[in-house]
Amino acid sequence: MSALARWCYGHRLVVVLLWVAVLAGLGMASTAAGTKASDSFSLPGTESSKALDLLRETMPAQSGANATVVWQSDGDVRDAVVRDRMAATLDELSGLPGVTGITSPYGEQGARQVSEDGHIAYASVTFAEQAMDLEKADLEKFVETAQEADGGGLRVELGGDPISQAAESEAPTSELVGILAAAIVLFVAFGSLFAMLLPIATAIAGVGTGLMTVTLLTHVMDIGDIGPILGALIGLGVGIDYALFIVTRHRSNLKSGMDMEASVVKAIDTSGRAVIFAGGTVVVALSGLFVLGVGFLNGMAVASAVAVLFTVIAAVTLLPALLGFIGMRALSRRERRGQSAGIENRPGLWARWGAIVERRRVVLSALSLAMIAVLSLPVLSLRLGSSDAGNDPASTTTRQAYDLLADGFGPGFNGPLQLVAETPAAADQQALRDLTEQISGTEGVAAVTALPAEPGAKVGIVQVVPETSPQSEETADLITHLRDDVIPPAEEGTTLQVYVGGQTAIFDDFADVLTGKLPLFLTVIVALGCVLLLIAFRSLLVPLTAAVMNILATAASFGVIVAFFQYGWGSEPFGLGAAGPVEAFLPVIMLSVLFGLSMDYQVFLVSRMHEEWVHTGDNRRAVTVGIAETGRVITAAATIMFAVFIAFSFGGERIVAEFGIGLAAAVAIDAFILRTVLVPAVMYLFGKANWWLPRWLDRRLPHLSVEGPTEPVEENRRPEPAAR
């Protein structure tokens, strides 16, 4: 690390030009290639996937995504004027690219597509592909054409996944707001404009190269649209923080009297090592998503990991070069005047806080645990599922179409179940008809419709409309009841095979698959994190303490998510939709990211403690120095991450908001409760046991230095706060 830092510092112009060339090259390549982001995912072995595969094989026209065109009239929708206008619109829509069929309420098959009061009607639209595989330009043309009929006493709205796909747009202001908030925090922390700009410039360079690389990777693997958004969210947060840790160490070195080059080299050789280790833990935690075997999540992991990887590279190469350019301006004017006047650095707030934690370690530990317990309580009622158009902003056409359909046909109409049946024999077709009659009388079912089939068809489709909304717990219970109790008896004695599918069932199966694999996933990332910390700090208690703290932070942050979104305590007041289940894939993504971010703070805190422990062998002094030297930078870093994550939360997308609110809560809890209160308090309680490792294990472990060389401290080392 010393050699790398010295080279980057000595060849700083070359380094900056290389980064500019890489950014320009990747920018031109990604612009020319474009993106092939795909949100498609498969759940092999699940019943909903079997239903979808069967439809694709036998009825490809029925296997694509579905949408609805909904209209409401002041009078009766069957009046001649309304009928002529909407019939012409539907004819035009049927000829657009990607549309394979439209069932009109004015035809024989659509007779039931008019509400009882006659004021609301809808047309069912079938597309050739699933929503994520359709061209966005074609979908936008579809929406534009349909809404041309709006006006003159007729209201036209559109619903369905394809329409949501067309309406998706990035919120470029999220990144700008997050960067602006980070800049304010950095300026307050450093008091120097140049020191403020360095972490931001480094993070932007790292995230920019990472996201452009992800754009190119979409051509060789499946990466969804949310992958780059998640990568930007995480990359900006950790990128600014990583640079912040290095700049802070550099400033501390300068204040202690080091010359410029030695200070940069020392900062990279200490904090730079910690940055590499911390970034590695984030990448390892994200890689744990591959254990789940879901391609949709693999794309998210790759996009986020690539963004983090490039921010680490920028922090240890570009940043030392930039530090060489700004020289002593890394310090504020007041600090530079203090240097020239020889003013001694006085013990600060965090040195005094370390002494308080030592004296009140039992009380503070108990209070911290009580706060975490209260925040974690809502986790006990966590329910995974999928939000739908009912959670969209009230002004969107998808939300208005959802409400119109719910008013005209019942809440369950927005998420019908699709029973796909294999009927190879005539007896099977009769058994399916009997099953249809039985389901119509099943509790929780509002309506059952057997779709017309050609004579001799070997596949039958039955549409089941629940009485409850797609995201409600009762609908999930109905799916289980149909699969376990209603359908099996109908299949007995026949070759009939019935699969419960449809979008609602797919999301329900998705939640079940991820819930089932969650224990394995959690075990893998906890074990990997413990092994990394064990090797780095040669201790048994340090990695175990980190694992427990990470679990506590995760539980508390999920408690905040459940209260905010599932209970609706925050989502409705902030315009993020009505209360609903937490997204099914949120826990696994959040767990990987949170374990990585939590490990970052643990590494920066404990690496400073370990550095002092190696030099002195005094646990009390090591913990005091650790909290005194890193408390300010950890809380500043957490504040920056909090600002970045919150900025992304209000970009208009509920899924991104769930990530943003959850991550913001996690870093705040982690930094202000765990790392600066509970961790030092517990380490004071454990004493020298913090650093104990059996000799037989010590001999077998590879050596990995996080804090750099372990020689005795140099004479110009900053004085120990506790000693003063």
Side-chain angles (χ1 to χ4, degrees), residues 567-581:
Y567 295 171
W569 293 354
S571 60
E572 294 191 70
F574 285 98
L576 296 173

PDB file of all heavy atoms in Angstrom, residues 567-581:
ATOM      1  N   TYR A 567     -47.062  -0.807   8.487  1.00  0.00           N
ATOM      2  CA  TYR A 567     -48.081  -0.159   9.317  1.00  0.00           C
ATOM      3  C   TYR A 567     -48.602   1.115   8.666  1.00  0.00           C
ATOM      4  O   TYR A 567     -49.675   1.596   9.013  1.00  0.00           O
ATOM      5  CB  TYR A 567     -47.513   0.188  10.695  1.00  0.00           C
ATOM      6  CG  TYR A 567     -47.110  -0.987  11.548  1.00  0.00           C
ATOM      7  CD1 TYR A 567     -46.412  -0.802  12.732  1.00  0.00           C
ATOM      8  CD2 TYR A 567     -47.418  -2.300  11.181  1.00  0.00           C
ATOM      9  CE1 TYR A 567     -46.033  -1.878  13.528  1.00  0.00           C
ATOM     10  CE2 TYR A 567     -47.043  -3.375  11.966  1.00  0.00           C
ATOM     11  CZ  TYR A 567     -46.342  -3.154  13.134  1.00  0.00           C
ATOM     12  OH  TYR A 567     -45.960  -4.218  13.924  1.00  0.00           O
ATOM     13  N   GLY A 568     -47.804   1.690   7.763  1.00  0.00           N
ATOM     14  CA  GLY A 568     -48.221   2.920   7.089  1.00  0.00           C
ATOM     15  C   GLY A 568     -48.010   4.177   7.894  1.00  0.00           C
ATOM     16  O   GLY A 568     -48.517   5.239   7.535  1.00  0.00           O
ATOM     17  N   TRP A 569     -47.237   4.089   8.996  1.00  0.00           N
ATOM     18  CA  TRP A 569     -47.029   5.262   9.847  1.00  0.00           C
ATOM     19  C   TRP A 569     -46.286   6.390   9.123  1.00  0.00           C
ATOM     20  O   TRP A 569     -46.468   7.553   9.446  1.00  0.00           O
ATOM     21  CB  TRP A 569     -46.255   4.881  11.102  1.00  0.00           C
ATOM     22  CG  TRP A 569     -47.016   3.975  12.024  1.00  0.00           C
ATOM     23  CD1 TRP A 569     -48.314   3.582  11.881  1.00  0.00           C
ATOM     24  CD2 TRP A 569     -46.542   3.353  13.217  1.00  0.00           C
ATOM     25  NE1 TRP A 569     -48.674   2.748  12.910  1.00  0.00           N
ATOM     26  CE2 TRP A 569     -47.605   2.591  13.752  1.00  0.00           C
ATOM     27  CE3 TRP A 569     -45.321   3.356  13.877  1.00  0.00           C
ATOM     28  CZ2 TRP A 569     -47.478   1.846  14.912  1.00  0.00           C
ATOM     29  CZ3 TRP A 569     -45.189   2.610  15.054  1.00  0.00           C
ATOM     30  CH2 TRP A 569     -46.255   1.876  15.567  1.00  0.00           C
ATOM     31  N   GLY A 570     -45.447   6.041   8.161  1.00  0.00           N
ATOM     32  CA  GLY A 570     -44.696   7.066   7.457  1.00  0.00           C
ATOM     33  C   GLY A 570     -44.974   7.115   5.971  1.00  0.00           C
ATOM     34  O   GLY A 570     -44.863   8.172   5.347  1.00  0.00           O
ATOM     35  N   SER A 571     -45.343   5.979   5.373  1.00  0.00           N
ATOM     36  CA  SER A 571     -45.496   5.941   3.917  1.00  0.00           C
ATOM     37  C   SER A 571     -46.638   6.826   3.434  1.00  0.00           C
ATOM     38  O   SER A 571     -46.509   7.534   2.427  1.00  0.00           O
ATOM     39  CB  SER A 571     -45.708   4.500   3.449  1.00  0.00           C
ATOM     40  OG  SER A 571     -46.868   3.942   4.030  1.00  0.00           O
ATOM     41  N   GLU A 572     -47.749   6.796   4.131  1.00  0.00           N
ATOM     42  CA  GLU A 572     -48.891   7.611   3.695  1.00  0.00           C
ATOM     43  C   GLU A 572     -48.644   9.107   3.895  1.00  0.00           C
ATOM     44  O   GLU A 572     -48.873   9.897   2.982  1.00  0.00           O
ATOM     45  CB  GLU A 572     -50.163   7.146   4.399  1.00  0.00           C
ATOM     46  CG  GLU A 572     -50.581   5.736   3.990  1.00  0.00           C
ATOM     47  CD  GLU A 572     -51.969   5.370   4.481  1.00  0.00           C
ATOM     48  OE1 GLU A 572     -52.941   5.947   3.964  1.00  0.00           O
ATOM     49  OE2 GLU A 572     -52.073   4.512   5.367  1.00  0.00           O
ATOM     50  N   PRO A 573     -48.156   9.538   5.080  1.00  0.00           N
ATOM     51  CA  PRO A 573     -47.900  10.975   5.239  1.00  0.00           C
ATOM     52  C   PRO A 573     -46.882  11.528   4.248  1.00  0.00           C
ATOM     53  O   PRO A 573     -46.956  12.688   3.862  1.00  0.00           O
ATOM     54  CB  PRO A 573     -47.366  11.072   6.681  1.00  0.00           C
ATOM     55  CG  PRO A 573     -47.932   9.881   7.378  1.00  0.00           C
ATOM     56  CD  PRO A 573     -47.987   8.800   6.350  1.00  0.00           C
ATOM     57  N   PHE A 574     -45.917  10.699   3.825  1.00  0.00           N
ATOM     58  CA  PHE A 574     -44.880  11.180   2.912  1.00  0.00           C
ATOM     59  C   PHE A 574     -45.184  10.870   1.448  1.00  0.00           C
ATOM     60  O   PHE A 574     -44.315  10.991   0.593  1.00  0.00           O
ATOM     61  CB  PHE A 574     -43.524  10.583   3.294  1.00  0.00           C
ATOM     62  CG  PHE A 574     -42.916  11.201   4.524  1.00  0.00           C
ATOM     63  CD1 PHE A 574     -43.037  10.578   5.755  1.00  0.00           C
ATOM     64  CD2 PHE A 574     -42.251  12.405   4.448  1.00  0.00           C
ATOM     65  CE1 PHE A 574     -42.489  11.142   6.894  1.00  0.00           C
ATOM     66  CE2 PHE A 574     -41.695  12.980   5.580  1.00  0.00           C
ATOM     67  CZ  PHE A 574     -41.816  12.350   6.812  1.00  0.00           C
ATOM     68  N   GLY A 575     -46.410  10.445   1.145  1.00  0.00           N
ATOM     69  CA  GLY A 575     -46.806  10.224  -0.229  1.00  0.00           C
ATOM     70  C   GLY A 575     -46.176   9.024  -0.888  1.00  0.00           C
ATOM     71  O   GLY A 575     -46.022   8.990  -2.114  1.00  0.00           O
ATOM     72  N   LEU A 576     -45.817   8.009  -0.089  1.00  0.00           N
ATOM     73  CA  LEU A 576     -45.198   6.807  -0.638  1.00  0.00           C
ATOM     74  C   LEU A 576     -46.174   5.648  -0.724  1.00  0.00           C
ATOM     75  O   LEU A 576     -45.773   4.492  -0.837  1.00  0.00           O
ATOM     76  CB  LEU A 576     -43.980   6.416   0.216  1.00  0.00           C
ATOM     77  CG  LEU A 576     -42.851   7.441   0.212  1.00  0.00           C
ATOM     78  CD1 LEU A 576     -41.766   7.057   1.206  1.00  0.00           C
ATOM     79  CD2 LEU A 576     -42.252   7.577  -1.184  1.00  0.00           C
ATOM     80  N   GLY A 577     -47.443   5.937  -0.678  1.00  0.00           N
ATOM     81  CA  GLY A 577     -48.455   4.904  -0.860  1.00  0.00           C
ATOM     82  C   GLY A 577     -49.044   4.413   0.441  1.00  0.00           C
ATOM     83  O   GLY A 577     -48.580   4.724   1.540  1.00  0.00           O
ATOM     84  N   ALA A 578     -50.098   3.614   0.280  1.00  0.00           N
ATOM     85  CA  ALA A 578     -50.807   3.086   1.446  1.00  0.00           C
ATOM     86  C   ALA A 578     -49.998   1.976   2.108  1.00  0.00           C
ATOM     87  O   ALA A 578     -49.039   1.444   1.554  1.00  0.00           O
ATOM     88  CB  ALA A 578     -52.174   2.559   1.019  1.00  0.00           C
ATOM     89  N   ALA A 579     -50.396   1.620   3.330  1.00  0.00           N
ATOM     90  CA  ALA A 579     -49.740   0.534   4.054  1.00  0.00           C
ATOM     91  C   ALA A 579     -49.854  -0.761   3.264  1.00  0.00           C
ATOM     92  O   ALA A 579     -50.873  -1.039   2.635  1.00  0.00           O
ATOM     93  CB  ALA A 579     -50.385   0.372   5.431  1.00  0.00           C
ATOM     94  N   GLY A 580     -48.792  -1.536   3.261  1.00  0.00           N
ATOM     95  CA  GLY A 580     -48.780  -2.793   2.521  1.00  0.00           C
ATOM     96  C   GLY A 580     -47.601  -3.634   2.936  1.00  0.00           C
ATOM     97  O   GLY A 580     -46.768  -3.210   3.747  1.00  0.00           O
ATOM     98  N   PRO A 581     -47.489  -4.831   2.411  1.00  0.00           N
ATOM     99  CA  PRO A 581     -46.390  -5.718   2.799  1.00  0.00           C
ATOM    100  C   PRO A 581     -45.037  -5.183   2.350  1.00  0.00           C
ATOM    101  O   PRO A 581     -44.948  -4.371   1.425  1.00  0.00           O
ATOM    102  CB  PRO A 581     -46.729  -7.030   2.075  1.00  0.00           C
ATOM    103  CG  PRO A 581     -47.534  -6.609   0.889  1.00  0.00           C
ATOM    104  CD  PRO A 581     -48.335  -5.434   1.353  1.00  0.00           C
TER     105      PRO A 581
END
